[in-house]
Structure formats: C-alpha cells, structure tokens
Amino acid sequence: MSSFHSQTSVVPSLDEVQIEHRGAVSLIRLSRPRKRNAINDGLMAAIGQRIAELPASTGAVVLYGEGEHFCAGLDLGELKDRDAVDGLHHSRSWYYVLRELEQGRVPVIAALHGAVVGGGLELAAACHLRVADESAFFALPEGSRGIFVGGGGSVRLPKLIGAHRMLDMMLTGRVYNAADGVGIGMAQYLVPTGQALAKALELAERVAANAPMTNYALIHGLPRIAEQPADHGFLTESMLAALAQSAPEAKARVRAFLDGSGPKVKVQSKP
Ligand code: 1HE
C-alpha cells in the first residue's frame, strides 16, 4: 500500500511544503514548481505536518503555490501502480489531511494562480476563503483521465458551485477562467495577475485580528449548521453565540465600541 495514512513509511516532503510566520499569519507554500506542485504522498503528508505544527501564535494561514501554478492536482506518476485497495486508502489519506486543514484551529485562505486543477481544486475547496488572480483557471481533468475525484471534491465542490457545474466540468472537461470561476463561486475574490498572495495576506491579517473564538465558531459552526435541520441549527447557533460572547475578548471589544474607541462599520471601496 502506498497511502501514508495506512502506512507509516511515507516520509513528509517538508522541503516541498515550506512554512513562514509573519506575525499572526503563517504562510504555507507548495514548493514543487518543477512538477507544477503536483501532490504525491510525501507532499500531502507534509501539508498535514505543517498544519499540525502551527504555533499557538498563528491566527490565520495563507496557502499558496510556488511558480506558475497553484497546483496541478494529484501526481499522476503515483497512480499507475496503484490497485483498488491502495486507491481507497489513498483517498482516505487526503480526507484526513484536508479535514485537519478545514477543521483546524484557524481559518485558511488559499491564494490561487495558474492551474487550480483536479486535486489542486479539491485542496483549494477545503480552505475557508479563496482569492484568485486573473491567471487562475479551474478544471477537473479526472473525467478525461479515466478516473474520479478522490480528495473530497464530490462533497465540497457541489457546495461551492453546484453539482450540475461539477458534473459539466468532469463530463466535458470544461475549464473555467478566473473571472467565470469566481462568478460561479470557486473563489470569493478576484484580483489582477500576481496579486493573489498580497490580497490573501491582507485578508489573513484582518481575519487573525478577530477574536479566536469567533473564528473557531465560524469555521466549525457554519458548515455543520448548514447540514443540520433548522431546529438543530438554531440550538447549535445559540450555543456558539453564548460561548463566543462569554470570552473576555468579546467583552473588551464590545466595551471599546460603547466607549467610542472601537471601530465602526464602514463601507469599503473594494471588497
Ligand atoms: C505532472 C502533473 C501531474 C504536471 N502529475 N506530473 N492533474 C492533471 O491532469 C493536470 C496535469 N497537468 C497539466 O495539465 C499541466 O501540467 C498544467 C496545465 C498543470 C501546467 O502546464 P505547464 O505547460 O506549465 O507544465 P507541463 O510542461 O505540462 O509540466 C511540467 C512538468 O510537471 C512535467 O514533467 P517533466 O518531467 O516532463 O518536466 C509534467 O509531466 C509535470 N506535471 N502536472 C505528475 N498532475 C485525490 S484525487 C485527485 C485526482 C486528480 O488530481 S486528477 C488531475 C491530475
């Protein structure tokens, strides 16, 4: 079996997933540009390790790719020798890491450029916010390669763009350019070419300045509430609201607004 989740022999390729800390923001860089940041077992294990080892001082993460592309998806070189059992465990190893990322302690913002394809799009979909620059393009070439998504794409992508659009992408090989992709919900922000990382950093700094409990309640609460019957959702919401507002930080922020020193809500010139 080649899956690192079912086998301890996979060594995380830490040199291919670099980490840097800038204040409360940690930057995780996919660093395998020769292969367009295609994800093999070692690289996926390294993403998992970088997430697991985030320091307590991290309030938000930016995930981005080195070189001309965000990520070319699964390293197809690994696929040729994999049997059905290996394939099952391989998928589960991706689920494990992407769940750690999606259901971790802090929000993760993906900065997207160039190819965001196959497993690269599945990785981006597990992040909480996505910023695309105008060079980004989105595709699911699995259909044309005779395979299927295996990194949680069939669960996460229909929630972003709708099952009918994902079906189209996989059946016909349709590629969305950045503007059209953002228009259908692949990402929340569109910026000029070369500016995705800067915009993601700016957003991450803002996110990291929120009360940690509010961020935690958002990334853990909202997706779960969306899956619950309304009656359960109301109860979950009320509990998260109670928890967030009881934190000392919330009290201090509310007091600051009431005494005139806290920020007011302002219209921003750009989203
Ligand atoms: C790769 C991969 C890869 C590049 N696996 N080696 N993903 C795909 O089907 C996408 C396949 N890749 C491409 O379509 C193109 O490479 C790109 C559009 C992403 C970039 O094009 P370009 O012209 O910048 O680069 P390139 O010349 O195609 O590739 C440079 C090298 O990276 C080359 O290797 P080299 O040794 O000849 O230099 C490519 O073979 C290699 N490379 N992409 C392996 N994906 C959990 S299941 C998820 C299932 C999937 O993700 S399926 C979709 C896989």
Side-chain angles (χ1 to χ4, degrees), residues 70-87:
F70 172 69
C71 177
L74 174 71
D75 186 325
L76 292 166
E78 281 194 345
L79 199 62
K80 51 185 179 1
D81 304 319
R82 197 173 277 149
D83 65 18
V85 175
D86 280 348

Side-chain angles (χ1 to χ4, degrees), residues 32-36 38 68-69 71-77 90-91 94 115 117-120 122 137 140-142 145 147-151:
R32 199 186 179 212
R34 278 179 309 107
K35 294 288 180 186
R36 304 322 187 233
E68 299 299 305
H69 303 280
C71 177
L74 174 71
D75 186 325
L76 292 166
H90 176 263
S91 267
W94 277 52
V117 305
E122 294 182 280
F137 56 96
L140 292 169
E142 285 88 339
R145 310 249 183 259
I147 54 178
F148 195 65
V149 283

Side-chain angles (χ1 to χ4, degrees), residues 147-205:
I147 54 178
F148 195 65
V149 283
S154 62
V155 174
R156 294 190 180 94
L157 282 167
K159 289 177 184 158
L160 288 183
I161 62 171
H164 58 301
R165 292 199 183 94
M166 180 174 174
L167 190 67
D168 179 20
M169 290 172 79
M170 290 197 68
L171 284 176
T172 69
R174 181 170 183 166
V175 179
Y176 280 91
N177 66 25
D180 291 344
V182 171
I184 63 166
M186 296 276 197
Q188 292 97 330
Y189 294 87
L190 178 63
V191 294
T193 297
Q195 291 183 23
L197 180 58
K199 182 68 184 178
L201 255 169
E202 176 200 318
L203 294 170
E205 276 159 13

